[in-house]
Amino acid sequence: MLECAFARPRQTPVSTKTTPYLVRAWRLTRMLLHVLHGALILAVRYPRLTNPERAVITRAWARKMLDIFGVRLAIRGDNPGFYPANTLLVANHVSWLDIIALSGGTVSRFVAKKEIRTWPAIGWMAANGGTLFIDRSNRRDASRVNGQLAEALEQGGCMSVFPEGTTSDGFGLLPFKSSLFESAVIAGSQVQPVAIRYLDETGALTDKVAFIGEATIAQTLGRLLATRRLTVELVYGQRLQAGAPGLATRFELSAAAREEILAALGLKEERVEAPCDQAADPALAPN
């Protein structure tokens, strides 16, 4: 018997109406132009700016992109600021859209799987935006990334990780991998849990933009462009100070952060008989 994702009952959307094709084409055109604008900023302006100055530009760019997609950003809880120093953000992971949503609330640099570095355009933008890349097939690579994370945090940076190690449908929460929490222990950082929820126009939880299974970026983008209205909700939990009583190790920080996100998602832990797909992959097992 395996401890798996902790899920709420699925909610069936009331409305199935989609946007007209002209609206989708207009959104796509605006998106491509905004991506080109972002690439120009990364190539020309970013190298000359401080991290706080970059954060101001990044948040504005992210919020405009959400507006282009017709996505409303809703923030609940105590947002620590647009670029809190020495802070490790940890969030559940549903979609590539999570990165844009999080940047619209609290700007940070991200840790991503190394494969993204080879993606056309996206890989270049991620690398030039300060993303750290990790080889998830090699457990020893976590040590290297932890060193880079800790150094960035100690220098006043704000970094983000998705400790599930993969995406889910947003209806549950997968087990956390605790390895990258070690960076917060080393740097004496604050850990900020953030729960990400996607809601349709009726206010029901939806997996329409979930990047799971055999879905491709193009498919999820197509579903997003066809969605009339979508809300992404960021729920900030209680901040956790690494090194405080009960939060001295990466395991304690991971467990406490997961409890905060579970509570924000309105989930309760339970054991299920059916194993998760991720449980079959040793590289994704919690540690």
Side-chain angles (χ1 to χ4, degrees):
M1 184 161 58
L2 298 175
E3 194 170 46
C4 193
F6 304 109
R8 70 176 77 235
R10 291 179 178 272
Q11 303 177 47
T12 303
V14 174
S15 174
T16 58
K17 293 182 179 179
T18 58
T19 58
Y21 286 106
L22 284 178
V23 171
R24 300 180 207 182
W26 176 235
R27 284 181 175 179
L28 180 61
T29 300
R30 292 181 65 202
M31 181 206 77
L32 292 174
L33 290 174
H34 195 51
V35 168
L36 288 175
H37 180 231
L40 183 63
I41 291 173
L42 285 172
V44 178
R45 294 188 62 187
Y46 248 50
R48 304 196 304 267
L49 300 177
T50 64
N51 284 335
E53 289 172 333
R54 292 177 179 181
V56 172
I57 293 175
T58 299
R59 185 165 69 167
W61 184 91
R63 290 190 171 187
K64 183 174 180 180
M65 182 63 86
L66 292 175
D67 182 65
I68 289 171
F69 285 138
V71 176
R72 184 176 74 92
L73 178 64
I75 295 177
R76 292 173 46 201
D78 185 14
N79 186 335
F82 80 97
Y83 192 74
N86 197 6
T87 298
L88 182 69
L89 265 66
V90 296
N92 60 307
H93 201 11
V94 181
S95 171
W96 51 265
L97 191 59
D98 299 346
I99 295 172
I100 299 174
L102 284 171
S103 297
T106 302
V107 178
S108 62
R109 293 164 58 195
F110 291 85
V111 175
K113 61 183 181 179
K114 70 171 186 177
E115 290 81 3
I116 291 178
R117 182 65 183 87
T118 64
W119 291 3
I122 295 175
W124 179 87
M125 292 185 70
N128 283 270
T131 297
L132 302 180
F133 298 98
I134 185 171
D135 183 355
R136 295 199 181 278
S137 65
N138 181 1
R139 290 187 178 230
R140 295 183 179 180
D141 200 43
S143 177
R144 175 187 64 83
V145 175
N146 265 320
Q148 294 179 338
L149 272 174
E151 181 180 1
L153 291 167
E154 289 172 335
Q155 292 176 356
C158 181
M159 308 298 293
S160 287
V161 299
F162 297 110
E164 290 170 290
T166 187
T167 51
S168 74
D169 60 9
F171 288 88
L173 188 66
L174 300 171
F176 277 10
K177 300 178 71 175
S178 66
S179 55
L180 295 183
F181 284 86
E182 185 66 26
S183 63
V185 175
I186 296 170
S189 309
Q190 277 201 333
V191 175
Q192 175 65 70
V194 186
I196 303 175
R197 304 172 72 234
Y198 290 95
L199 309 174
D200 66 15
E201 60 185 292
T202 71
L205 201 64
T206 179
D207 59 359
K208 188 161 289 188
V209 295
F211 188 44
I212 54 175
E214 300 300 318
T216 64
I217 290 180
Q219 289 171 333
T220 53
L221 175 60
R223 291 198 295 265
L224 177 59
L225 295 174
T227 300
R228 294 175 64 191
R229 285 186 296 276
L230 187 71
T231 296
V232 56
E233 189 177 69
L234 303 181
V235 186
Y236 290 84
Q238 180 179 344
R239 298 171 207 171
L240 309 170
Q241 179 60 53
L247 299 172
T249 70
R250 63 185 175 96
F251 302 105
E252 292 172 329
L253 281 170
S254 175
R258 191 166 186 276
E259 285 294 329
E260 287 291 318
I261 294 176
L262 276 170
L265 293 174
L267 299 175
K268 293 183 179 180
E269 293 192 345
E270 60 186 58
R271 288 187 174 274
V272 295
E273 294 293 340
C276 292
D277 291 341
Q278 286 77 7
D281 184 353
L284 297 177
N287 53 50

